[in-house]
């Protein structure tokens, strides 16, 4: 009988031990942990895409800001060039009036000269009739024109002082008017060429603005689509986060329920073991044995992350006059007469000569007062060299609206950098096309 009770006691303990060692919710928790891991992987992918979308938005916004700044430059350049064109047009009208007035004066002088010509003819005849030197008459009759007569008559020593005075005064008036007329006509031609250049600039600036407006709209559309994509990804990440939170709570609840069930089973096993031991003691009068059971504790994995500090490359420095102006490429606009104030320079508004002056000032070379710099002053700023000996850093000159009307800095390879009316600061090819035709061979080494 004692052997039977001992066997029963052992069987009960073994049975309870088997119950305690089997995790009741293991498969459910394992499934949920697997689902949680899948959701975490999905969130990592979504968050990576959100970061990519944010980076793209930052890039697009920076490009949009740059485009906006360039549009502002082009607007300022357009306004300034329009003002210059209007002033030039007014100067053309005023100079045209001067030309008309000079033509009237020349006509009056011509009439006066004709009258004096008649007087001189009469005096020559009188001189001949009175038996005077006929050389005076020969001078008059042998001349091909009145101008020729004046030149001949001044050389004849027998002319009386009164005639000589009339002739000198007449010649001086004639020469003065001719000189003045030539100067005014030259000024008018220069103004008309400048007006044509300014009109062309206005057309080019309008075309640039139209192109930039189209690009700005395209960037805005891309930005809107990227915003939608980012919002969609953020919504998906939020949904996955909710799922993950729910699963984590379910896992926590399941583990709590499992722990409670384990403790209840352990308590029940202890009570059953105690009761069985007592019964065994009574039946067999043997020392009681108590069963011990051990409980397993699950440890949640700890996640760790490593943050890498971002590094930034040092900003490149302009090393010489050939490259110092590259910062303005795509960030500048051409303004006739611009670039002669700190405000213009800070906004990237240059004309060709002010850009050259600025570029050389950045490498410590002063090309004279900024306010008075021009292609005319720059072509005398250094040493003239042959175009066959041209090297990077030399100034190169072009005949545009006037001789030496444009200047740039040679960068090598048949190219130069300068402020062009059609592009602002840019590198242009002088080995072919427009600039090859306009290059006049003047090269100045500073």
């Amino acid at each position: 009988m004692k052997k039977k009770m001992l066997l029963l006691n052992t069987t009960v303990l073994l049975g309870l031990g088997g119950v305690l060692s089997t995790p009741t919710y293991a498969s459910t928790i394992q499934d949920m942990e697997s689902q949680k891991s899948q959701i975490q992987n999905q969130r990592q992918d979504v968050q990576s895409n959100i970061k990519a979308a944010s980076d793209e938005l930052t890039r697009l916004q920076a490009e949009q800001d740059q485009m906006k700044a360039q549009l502002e430059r082009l607007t300022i350049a357009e306004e300034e060039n329009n003002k210059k064109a209007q002033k030039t047009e007014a100067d053309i009208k005023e100079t045209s009036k001067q030309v008309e007035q000079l033509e009237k004066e020349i006509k009056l002088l011509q009439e006066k000269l004709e009258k004096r010509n008649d007087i001189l003819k009469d005096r020559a005849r009188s001189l001949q009739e009175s038996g005077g030197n006929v050389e005076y008459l020969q001078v008059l009759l042998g001349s091909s024109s009145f101008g020729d007569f004046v030149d001949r008559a001044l050389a004849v020593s027998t002319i009386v002082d009164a005639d000589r005075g009339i002739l000198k005064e007449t010649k001086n008036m004639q020469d003065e008017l001719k000189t003045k007329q030539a100067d005014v006509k030259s000024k008018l031609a220069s103004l008309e060429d400048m007006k044509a250049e300014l009109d062309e600039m206005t057309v080019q600036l309008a075309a640039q603005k139209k192109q930039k407006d189209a690009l700005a709209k395209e960037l805005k559309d891309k930005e809107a689509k990227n915003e939608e994509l980012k919002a969609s990804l953020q919504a998906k990440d939020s949904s996955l986060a909710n799922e993950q939170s729910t699963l984590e709570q379910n896992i926590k609840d399941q583990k709590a329920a499992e722990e409670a069930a384990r403790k209840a089973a352990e308590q029940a096993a202890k009570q059953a073991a105690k009761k069985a031991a007592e019964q065994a003691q009574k039946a067999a009068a043997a020392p009681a044995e108590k069963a011990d059971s051990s409980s397993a504790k699950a440890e949640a994995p700890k996640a760790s992350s490593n943050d890498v500090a971002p590094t930034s490359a040092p900003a490149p420095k302009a090393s010489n006059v050939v490259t110092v102006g590259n910062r303005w490429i795509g960030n500048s606009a051409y303004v006739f007469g611009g670039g002669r104030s700190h405000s213009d320079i800070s906004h990237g508004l240059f004309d060709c000569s002010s850009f050259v002056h600025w570029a050389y000032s950045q490498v410590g070379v002063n090309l004279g007062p900024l306010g008075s710099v021009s292609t005319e002053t720059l072509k005398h700023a250094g040493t003239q060299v042959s175009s066959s000996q041209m090297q990077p850093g030399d100034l190169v000159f072009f005949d545009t609206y006037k001789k030496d009307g444009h200047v740039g800095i040679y960068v090598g390879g048949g190219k130069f950098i300068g402020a062009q009316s059609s592009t602002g600061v840019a590198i242009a090819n002088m080995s072919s096309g427009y600039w090859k035709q306009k290059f006049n061979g003047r090269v100045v080494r500073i």
Side-chain angles (χ1 to χ4, degrees), residues 160-360:
V160 294
D161 291 340
D163 288 344
R164 186 183 295 274
I166 292 174
L167 290 171
K168 283 185 177 181
E169 181 186 357
T170 302
K171 181 171 178 59
N172 290 340
M173 290 175 64
Q174 187 181 43
D175 291 344
E176 183 181 352
L177 277 176
K178 283 183 178 179
T179 301
K180 189 183 292 187
Q181 185 186 36
D183 289 344
V184 174
K185 284 186 175 181
S186 175
K187 179 182 176 182
L188 179 61
S190 178
L191 286 169
E192 288 172 344
D193 288 342
M194 185 185 296
K195 179 63 167 56
E197 183 93 353
L198 288 165
D199 288 343
E200 178 63 23
M201 287 180 204
T202 302
V203 172
Q204 291 170 348
L205 285 167
Q208 287 181 60
K209 283 186 67 180
K210 186 176 180 181
Q211 182 184 25
K212 297 297 181 187
D213 282 333
L215 287 173
K217 183 179 182 304
E218 184 179 336
L219 285 172
K220 201 71 178 173
D221 291 343
K222 286 182 180 179
E223 197 174 323
K225 289 179 181 178
N226 220 56
E227 286 280 10
E228 288 180 14
L229 174 62
K230 183 179 177 182
S232 174
L233 288 168
Q234 286 173 331
K236 186 174 181 180
D237 183 59
S238 178
S239 175
L240 288 170
N242 290 334
E243 288 185 43
Q244 181 178 332
S245 178
T246 301
L247 276 171
E248 287 172 347
Q249 186 60 46
N250 289 342
I251 291 170
K252 184 179 179 181
D253 292 344
Q254 288 282 39
K255 286 183 176 181
E258 181 183 89
E259 182 66 13
R262 188 191 65 77
K263 287 182 178 180
E266 185 181 49
Q267 187 64 28
K270 284 181 179 180
Q271 291 176 357
K274 183 179 179 181
K275 187 175 180 181
E278 289 173 353
Q279 289 175 351
Q281 276 183 339
K282 290 178 182 179
E289 295 180 358
K290 293 184 179 181
D292 293 326
S293 61
S294 59
S295 60
K297 293 182 179 181
E299 290 187 1
K302 294 181 179 180
S304 64
S305 61
N306 295 320
D307 294 330
V308 179
T311 59
S312 59
K317 288 185 177 181
S319 59
N320 53 54
V321 74
V322 173
T323 58
V324 72
N326 290 350
R327 58 173 288 197
W328 295 116
I329 296 175
N331 299 305
S332 60
Y334 185 96
V335 175
F336 202 98
R340 287 162 178 78
S341 68
H342 292 300
S343 176
D344 277 2
I345 292 172
S346 65
H347 288 88
L349 305 176
F350 296 97
D351 66 8
C352 61
S353 53
S354 65
F355 170 74
V356 169
H357 187 284
W358 173 87
Y360 267 93

